[in-house]
Amino acid sequence: MTVTLADVAARAQVSPATVSRVLNGNYPVAATTRERVLRAVDELDYVLNGPASALAAATSDLVGILVNDIADPFFGIMASAIQSEIGGPGGRAGGERLAVVCNTGGSPERELTYLTLLQRQRAAAVVLTGGAMENEPHAAAVAAKLRRLGEAGTRIVLCGRPPAPETAAIALTFDNRGGGRELTEHLIGLGHRRLGYIAGPEERTTTRHRLEGHRAALAAAGIEEDPRWTVHGRYDRRAGYEATLELLRRDPSLTAVVAANDSVALGACAALRDSGLRIPDDVSVAGFDDLPFSIDVVPSLTTVRLPLAEAGARAGRIAMGREEPPPGGIATVRGELMVRGSSGAPRE
Amino acid sequence: MTVTLADVAARAQVSPATVSRVLNGNYPVAATTRERVLRAVDELDYVLNGPASALAAATSDLVGILVNDIADPFFGIMASAIQSEIGGPGGRAGGERLAVVCNTGGSPERELTYLTLLQRQRAAAVVLTGGAMENEPHAAAVAAKLRRLGEAGTRIVLCGRPPAPETAAIALTFDNRGGGRELTEHLIGLGHRRLGYIAGPEERTTTRHRLEGHRAALAAAGIEEDPRWTVHGRYDRRAGYEATLELLRRDPSLTAVVAANDSVALGACAALRDSGLRIPDDVSVAGFDDLPFSIDVVPSLTTVRLPLAEAGARAGRIAMGREEPPPGGIATVRGELMVRGSSGAPRE
DNA sequence: AGCGTTACAGCAAGCGCTTTCTATACAAGG
DNA sequence: CCTTGTATAGAAAGCGCTTGCTGTAACGCT
């Protein structure tokens, strides 16, 4: 029923081998023959059987992209950039590759299962984006899986994720610690001394690093941190809203709120406003990531810009072997402090 | 080098056939044998070869999700919902399936190529999200492709996209026209008579339908539309910003701006503010979609909520054959008008 | 003319799995 | 004790493609 290579071969009066070679273009075929074959392909509306060719050639054109939350622009932007370099239709790359975006939802099991699925498909490359879980057994399992994938010839790139030692993975890590520190230094510089911090989920590297940067800045300024000033929550606006109310309840004298990321900061702004506080007159707010909307909210958000698209594009190129990996397989991507309207000097 | 079924079979002292059956669980295997096989699988760290099994079984566990722009939460939210129902790891579905999110970037060629790639992979199902291009030859090509995919047994679902006649595709269409109309009726009801409209890219069904709804509302209210009041642009904030400036230049007396979607509305708000206009006191603004950030911006956005997640989930279930398609294969999903702070009565 | 090249094209052996059909073993029934 | 049925395992034939190797012309050289 379905058209096969052999059908095309018969129609073009050549052997299947020749058809295969025309299609793959990796072996000399006389122009007239090629023409004949292509015509037959066209006439029969032939489409290569992917699984069959993957099996025979022992390679596939699938590239996996793992993201924590595809509904979050942070990942969407990276995924988009990665994909554009992976090639796919219209990409600059030569061979057409199918980029597979896998949504782990931040769950370790799903991450692992997706990795297995990708391994099963003999993926050509895998890009893991975003922070990793710090759960020890899980981290070990992922490392083991990455090792096996690497051994099987799958190229592995981490984008916005800390390096995975003992692994062939190339890492493009965001300098979350540095960014966090710079951000808080900025607020301290404005005169803030009582700063609330809305952290992301615990056990996430991103969460920890940003928080560490924040604390380093406090320590450097000789500010002793009050444990009540830190609240953990998810990386979304809802969590930011609730955490801010909690923070306000614990210590109404806070003059600044630093959020784990821009979405959280958005929720924080809403909560402050609903509490009758003005931004930045009463309380300053800062985010992280500099997502597209951050410049449009009112007041616009002071944040740390992460070059998501650039990093993603680079990760994609490395995954495709079109760019040299950084020396040592590790590169740190720095953020840039964006001072905007949501931060100002504290009152009095 | 890599472990194969045969290796597992040898280790478990059974035939390859038995191992296959244990793994697929679709044939009776004695409990003790199964145990032995599973142990061997574990010990050898065996991972099924996807392409090989897809070839032999003539089916694959890939499900394609086509989106116009993965960096846009509109698509991210739908994709996320679809994927969660597709199964994938952790999903409710039984067999594990790999959801493949393909980013077409709104380009007809890429859409077609992705469809071919999916066809090549013998995808189990394909979900196309978002508006379609109204380019005739392209539409025909897509329809033809969908037909062939359907013939090959791939289930096809359109989510937020108009029905594709002559095709086996199930369509979950958004009522963009109705939503657009309701939105503009709301503004007219507030007293607005001079309304600017920032439309999306031309040749997109979504763009056209929303605009038609808007115009229907104007017509119903007996308002004659000035051609200067409509500007086309992309579906992002940048386009909204520029289009608004253009609108203001053309007719500074506008009292309301209706945007093609929330991102565009965000840009519109920024442009208005930068022009020294207050929202909604001087100019009202309305969006479409009700993305998560829309409630958090200041003033919060009047918009039409589209049940993106619900529709996506339903599309996913239908694609997996876990939910009955709607009668006739077509269902219309309605939006809900959300009146918020960005719209108010015009001055004087 | 003779011989080594070059340039294509075909043969055929798999790639690793699924699945139909067949074989075996044991239990139950007569 | 033999027949029939039932449960389970194996043998083997592909699935549709790629590719190393083997022709075989036609060509260029001396």
Side-chain angles (χ1 to χ4, degrees):
Chain A
M1 204 215 95
T2 53
V3 184
T4 71
L5 237 210
D7 299 331
V8 176
R11 173 143 200 150
Q13 314 213 55
V14 296
S15 72
T18 301
V19 178
S20 170
R21 301 205 256 247
V22 167
L23 262 24
N24 291 297
N26 49 13
Y27 192 87
V29 172
T32 61
T33 314
R34 184 204 316 292
E35 196 113 321
R36 203 141 35 86
V37 170
L38 290 178
R39 182 140 27 85
V41 166
D42 224 55
E43 289 167 354
L44 295 176
D45 213 349
Y46 171 68
V47 174
L48 196 66
N49 182 317
S53 84
L55 172 59
T59 61
S60 110
D61 49 7
L62 239 57
V63 175
I65 302 175
L66 263 63
V67 302
N68 282 345
D69 181 6
I70 200 172
D72 181 339
F74 175 83
F75 292 101
I77 291 169
M78 276 195 288
S80 171
I82 295 167
Q83 191 163 33
S84 74
E85 292 290 339
I86 291 303
R92 308 176 197 44
E96 270 160 9
R97 296 173 170 286
L98 225 201
V100 178
V101 178
C102 307
N103 198 28
T104 66
S107 139
E109 303 81 50
R110 292 181 69 167
E111 179 167 296
L112 225 36
T113 320
Y114 267 126
L115 248 16
T116 303
L117 242 31
L118 254 10
Q119 180 182 6
R120 177 177 300 182
Q121 300 295 334
R122 304 300 187 251
V126 173
V127 181
L128 292 96
T129 66
M133 293 294 298
E134 298 208 289
N135 177 315
E136 187 37 59
H138 171 64
V142 168
K145 190 57 101 183
L146 292 184
R147 223 171 297 131
R148 312 205 107 250
L149 271 166
E151 285 164 9
T154 298
R155 216 166 333 216
I156 304 167
V157 183
L158 308 178
C159 184
R161 195 175 166 115
E166 325 247 327
T167 290
I170 305 298
L172 260 37
T173 308
F174 291 141
D175 180 20
N176 285 310
R177 206 173 323 223
R181 175 165 183 156
E182 217 177 324
L183 190 58
T184 297
E185 280 171 351
H186 157 69
L187 291 169
I188 293 173
L190 287 174
H192 294 276
R193 290 296 174 272
R194 293 185 304 285
L195 303 90
Y197 190 90
I198 308 177
E202 307 205 53
E203 299 213 323
R204 292 293 250 301
T205 53
T206 306
T207 300
R208 184 164 60 78
H209 293 157
R210 292 183 181 178
L211 184 49
E212 282 174 4
H214 170 71
R215 289 187 169 151
L218 292 182
I223 299 175
E224 195 181 338
E225 203 199 356
D226 186 323
R228 295 175 307 156
W229 293 349
T230 302
V231 179
H232 283 271
R234 282 176 308 124
Y235 276 120
D236 60 25
R237 78 159 287 275
R238 179 79 183 279
Y241 189 93
E242 285 160 7
T244 302
L245 295 183
E246 171 67 18
L247 239 26
L248 252 26
R249 202 174 309 128
R250 293 186 187 174
D251 183 353
S253 74
L254 291 173
T255 63
V257 172
V258 181
N261 76 8
D262 288 354
S263 297
V264 173
L266 216 57
C269 289
L272 290 170
R273 259 190 311 272
D274 288 357
S275 302
L277 296 167
R278 285 163 308 159
I279 304 166
D281 313 282
D282 298 317
V283 178
S284 286
V285 174
F288 210 111
D289 294 345
D290 195 24
L291 296 185
F293 63 73
S294 305
I295 197 172
D296 281 319
V297 298
V298 180
S300 54
L301 219 49
T302 288
T303 186
V304 174
R305 156 169 293 172
L306 248 27
L308 264 18
E310 293 81 346
R314 187 165 168 209
R317 287 193 301 270
I318 293 174
M320 300 305 295
R322 287 194 289 114
E323 176 174 326
E324 278 304 299
I330 298 181
T332 299
V333 176
R334 314 208 35 152
E336 181 190 355
L337 178 64
M338 308 297 288
V339 174
R340 295 202 275 246
S342 70
S343 62
R347 272 201 297 182
E348 100 243 273
Chain B
M1 205 216 97
T2 53
V3 183
T4 72
L5 237 210
D7 298 331
V8 176
R11 172 142 198 150
Q13 314 213 54
V14 296
S15 71
T18 301
V19 177
S20 169
R21 301 205 256 246
V22 168
L23 263 24
N24 290 297
N26 50 12
Y27 190 90
V29 172
T32 62
T33 315
R34 182 204 317 292
E35 195 113 321
R36 203 140 36 86
V37 170
L38 290 178
R39 183 140 26 85
V41 166
D42 224 56
E43 288 167 354
L44 295 177
D45 213 348
Y46 171 68
V47 174
L48 198 65
N49 182 318
S53 83
L55 172 59
T59 62
S60 111
D61 48 7
L62 239 55
V63 174
I65 302 174
L66 263 64
V67 302
N68 282 344
D69 180 5
I70 201 173
D72 183 339
F74 176 84
F75 293 100
I77 291 169
M78 273 196 290
S80 170
I82 295 167
Q83 193 164 32
S84 75
E85 293 290 341
I86 291 302
R92 307 178 198 42
E96 271 160 9
R97 295 171 170 286
L98 226 202
V100 177
V101 178
C102 307
N103 197 29
T104 66
S107 141
E109 303 83 49
R110 293 181 68 169
E111 179 166 296
L112 225 37
T113 320
Y114 267 126
L115 248 17
T116 303
L117 241 32
L118 255 9
Q119 182 182 4
R120 177 177 300 182
Q121 298 296 334
R122 305 300 188 254
V126 174
V127 181
L128 293 96
T129 65
M133 292 295 298
E134 298 207 291
N135 176 315
E136 188 35 60
H138 170 65
V142 168
K145 190 56 102 181
L146 292 184
R147 224 171 297 127
R148 312 205 107 250
L149 270 166
E151 284 164 8
T154 297
R155 215 167 331 213
I156 303 167
V157 183
L158 309 177
C159 184
R161 196 173 165 118
E166 324 247 326
T167 289
I170 305 298
L172 261 36
T173 308
F174 291 141
D175 181 21
N176 285 308
R177 204 171 326 222
R181 173 163 186 161
E182 217 177 324
L183 190 57
T184 297
E185 281 172 350
H186 157 69
L187 291 168
I188 293 173
L190 287 174
H192 294 276
R193 288 296 173 273
R194 295 185 303 285
L195 304 89
Y197 190 90
I198 308 177
E202 307 205 53
E203 300 214 321
R204 292 292 251 302
T205 53
T206 307
T207 299
R208 182 163 61 78
H209 293 156
R210 290 182 182 178
L211 184 51
E212 282 173 5
H214 170 71
R215 289 187 169 149
L218 292 182
I223 299 176
E224 194 181 336
E225 203 198 357
D226 186 325
R228 297 175 306 156
W229 293 350
T230 302
V231 179
H232 282 271
R234 281 176 309 122
Y235 275 120
D236 61 25
R237 78 159 287 275
R238 179 81 182 280
Y241 188 94
E242 285 159 7
T244 302
L245 295 183
E246 172 67 19
L247 239 26
L248 252 26
R249 200 174 310 130
R250 293 186 186 174
D251 183 353
S253 76
L254 291 175
T255 63
V257 172
V258 181
N261 76 7
D262 288 352
S263 297
V264 173
L266 216 56
C269 289
L272 290 170
R273 258 191 312 268
D274 289 356
S275 303
L277 295 166
R278 283 163 309 159
I279 305 164
D281 312 283
D282 297 316
V283 178
S284 286
V285 174
F288 210 112
D289 292 347
D290 194 23
L291 296 185
F293 64 73
S294 306
I295 196 172
D296 280 320
V297 298
V298 180
S300 54
L301 220 49
T302 288
T303 186
V304 174
R305 154 168 296 172
L306 247 28
L308 265 16
E310 292 81 347
R314 186 167 169 207
R317 286 193 301 270
I318 293 173
M320 300 304 295
R322 287 193 289 113
E323 176 172 326
E324 277 305 299
I330 298 181
T332 298
V333 176
R334 314 208 35 153
E336 182 191 354
L337 178 64
M338 308 296 287
V339 174
R340 294 203 276 246
S342 70
S343 63
R347 272 200 297 181
E348 100 245 272

